[in-house]
Amino acid sequence: MNHDLKLFNTLTRSIEKLEPINDREVRMYNCGPTVYGFAHIGNLRSFIVNDTLRRTLEYTGHSVIQTMNITDIDDKMIARANEQGVSIHALGLEYENFLFADLKSLNVLTPHKMPRATDHIGGMVVMIEKLLRERFAYKASDGIYFEVAKAKNYGALAHLDMDAETESRVEGALDKKSPRDFALWKFETSDDYGNAYDASFGRGRPGWHIECSEMARDTLGETIDIHTGGVDLIFPHHTNEIAQSEAFNGKPFVKIWLHNEFVMVDGQKMSKSLGNHTTLKTITESGFSPLAFRYFVIGAHYRSKLNFTFEALEGAQNALRKLSEHIGEEVGSVNKDYQERFRDFVTQDLDTPRALALAWEVAKDASISPTDKTATLLDFDRVFGFGLATRKKETIPTHIKALAKSREEARENKDWAKSDKIRDEINSLGWNIEDTDKGPKISKLNS
């Protein structure tokens, strides 16, 4: 049965029914990473939200074409590559691989298209040339700028007060026509260290905003169904994407804009600039499963701020383990009443907290047979992405059991250094050991 999916559209500030341009096909663009460092878990929340949205779309009978871009040229990348004495290409590939490993461990489905900005320079040049010809853009001393005054409804996404005084979020030329005008192209300087491209309007490199407009247009078309990102991208990035894309294409850019809230630490947004970010590597080295973090994220609504603590993560890991204990070897039939309620929750603006509470209702329902309980929870997991099907009664290898026994002996002898060393070895082999009142409990780290 097909269910209508309703999502909160940032542009209209209202819940709207998704009506795809092409029948049941949904074209979705997710703002991806700038690959100059490890993704922090605030970034990873966005990827989990995108993945949950895709899974929900597929669960409700839609086909999805998902694009996630890779920003592999910008000021931060150039500076970091120069510090390390490597090319931005080498730097980008290194951190792409780290990111892909993180996403795989989080059970995030691979996007269908993952264009790199540097592979789309030609398309960006074509866009800028047309914007110049049609006088939406102009040449200044340090680059090409989009003239915001020429854009229709500029700032609608961010609900900007266009009469208010503003300062540019990005430094630019003194001869800009307005502080709001933003760079489409930056002319080459010595600080670029050769990372520049030839163009009819001058050698240089693209601004950040034009990269996404071109990659979205090239991979999904001139008007797309859903565009996602963190709330920090609403302005200026997504605001500027709309302005330049609609000026170039002459038609609406995106039907529904979906933004997820921040991950917070001590009341502050988690970010690299604040130095309060945590990576997935830190989480796993602390003995937690990556999927415990996925459970933690899905336990909150995507439009709510999420306060991260290791205590909360431990609660999520314990809950995921207990939920998986309701998955049996034999699979019966999905309970239709529970399935209908689940569909209602996930199609109402991705209400994963209520959907997760429903999963626990199923788990505790003594009136459902164990086999039907398994089938129903596995059906829900098509959206959750916890990998419950792989968590059926794991067989613990003999050498892991032997290490666990050695660790217990070390703990009895109060040899904490040895105990910690053995625990690290168990973790490195892909297993987790958790100390409980009933003794050590061993489980797969990546499950």
Side-chain angles (χ1 to χ4, degrees), residues 263-394:
V263 172
M264 312 293 287
V265 178
D266 297 327
Q268 288 186 301
K269 166 196 167 188
M270 180 175 291
S271 70
K272 292 175 183 175
S273 60
L274 291 174
N276 63 352
H277 62 285
T278 298
T279 65
L280 197 63
K281 184 172 183 283
T282 303
I283 283 175
T284 55
E285 286 178 348
S286 300
F288 293 97
S289 158
L291 291 181
F293 178 68
R294 185 176 181 113
Y295 186 102
F296 171 67
V297 167
I298 284 175
H301 193 269
Y302 76 92
R303 287 195 288 119
S304 299
K305 289 184 173 67
L306 182 57
N307 192 52
F308 176 79
T309 66
F310 277 99
E311 290 79 9
L313 186 61
E314 184 172 12
Q317 177 148 294
N318 291 336
L320 180 57
R321 186 189 72 247
K322 289 173 183 174
L323 187 64
S324 69
E325 290 172 357
H326 293 278
I327 303 297
E329 290 294 328
E330 296 182 17
V331 181
S333 300
V334 176
N335 182 286
K336 297 303 180 185
D337 291 336
Y338 275 119
Q339 184 184 56
E340 196 68 18
R341 291 172 63 194
F342 181 78
R343 285 175 182 269
D344 285 343
F345 291 151
V346 296
T347 56
Q348 288 296 320
D349 198 28
L350 306 183
D351 196 343
T352 55
R354 291 178 75 187
L356 195 54
L358 185 68
W360 279 105
E361 194 176 325
V362 171
K364 295 173 182 178
D365 191 339
S367 71
I368 305 177
S369 70
T371 57
D372 288 357
K373 192 173 290 189
T374 294
T376 305
L377 290 174
L378 291 180
D379 180 69
F380 293 3
D381 200 42
R382 290 165 55 196
V383 172
F384 293 144
F386 296 146
L388 294 179
T390 64
R391 299 177 68 91
K392 296 177 184 177
K393 295 183 180 179
E394 298 157 339

Side-chain angles (χ1 to χ4, degrees), residues 22-261:
N22 297 321
D23 193 26
R24 302 291 294 179
E25 177 189 88
V26 177
R27 290 175 289 172
M28 175 170 69
Y29 187 88
N30 309 139
C31 265
T34 301
V35 282
Y36 71 99
F38 292 106
H40 62 66
I41 61 174
N43 306 137
L44 296 177
R45 183 188 192 187
S46 290
F47 299 132
I48 292 170
V49 169
N50 296 338
D51 185 63
T52 306
L53 174 57
R54 172 178 163 182
R55 287 171 178 271
T56 300
L57 286 163
E58 293 175 345
Y59 184 79
T60 53
H62 296 83
S63 63
V64 180
I65 303 174
Q66 180 188 15
T67 292
M68 181 185 80
N69 72 290
I70 305 289
T71 296
D72 60 348
I73 181 167
D74 85 332
D75 295 343
K76 292 174 183 175
M77 283 201 69
I78 291 171
R80 181 67 55 85
N82 183 56
E83 286 172 10
Q84 297 184 9
V86 298
S87 68
I88 62 167
H89 177 69
L91 181 77
L93 284 179
E94 178 184 8
Y95 285 106
E96 266 185 50
N97 290 333
F98 285 130
L99 175 69
F100 295 155
D102 281 354
L103 297 185
K104 184 177 180 181
S105 70
L106 289 166
N107 244 4
V108 170
L109 301 171
T110 303
H112 304 100
K113 301 179 181 184
M114 292 187 286
R116 295 187 183 93
T118 53
D119 292 333
H120 286 260
I121 301 295
M124 296 174 208
V125 169
V126 169
M127 285 190 75
I128 295 168
E129 286 174 338
K130 182 178 178 181
L131 293 172
L132 281 166
R133 280 196 311 273
E134 299 192 358
R135 301 186 183 282
F136 285 103
Y138 61 91
K139 188 173 185 176
S141 57
D142 68 345
I144 307 297
Y145 285 84
F146 185 91
E147 189 170 353
V148 165
K150 298 283 184 69
K152 293 181 181 178
N153 301 317
Y154 183 83
L157 184 70
H159 286 211
L160 296 180
D161 179 359
M162 294 303 291
D163 295 326
E165 291 295 320
T166 183
E167 294 183 3
S168 175
R169 285 275 298 267
V170 181
E171 290 183 7
L174 294 175
D175 56 346
K176 285 168 58 174
K177 292 184 179 181
S178 165
R180 288 193 189 275
D181 295 349
F182 58 89
L184 299 170
W185 189 262
K186 302 175 182 181
F187 293 145
E188 184 177 22
T189 70
S190 58
D191 291 336
D192 293 332
Y193 300 101
N195 293 293
Y197 301 84
D198 290 323
S200 58
F201 37 77
R203 183 172 170 81
R205 57 188 174 86
W208 176 33
H209 314 303
I210 197 72
E211 296 181 357
C212 282
S213 283
E214 161 57 19
M215 287 184 278
R217 184 197 63 78
D218 184 66
T219 60
L220 298 173
E222 294 178 338
T223 302
I224 61 180
D225 296 298
I226 303 174
H227 194 313
T228 74
V231 292
D232 53 327
L233 298 181
I234 295 172
F235 182 81
H237 184 50
H238 289 166
T239 296
N240 292 346
E241 270 191 73
I242 293 171
Q244 64 203 8
S245 292
E246 295 189 353
F248 179 83
N249 295 320
K251 58 186 67 173
F253 177 38
V254 174
K255 294 191 72 175
I256 291 182
W257 288 90
L258 185 142
H259 293 93
N260 65 273
E261 262 291 359

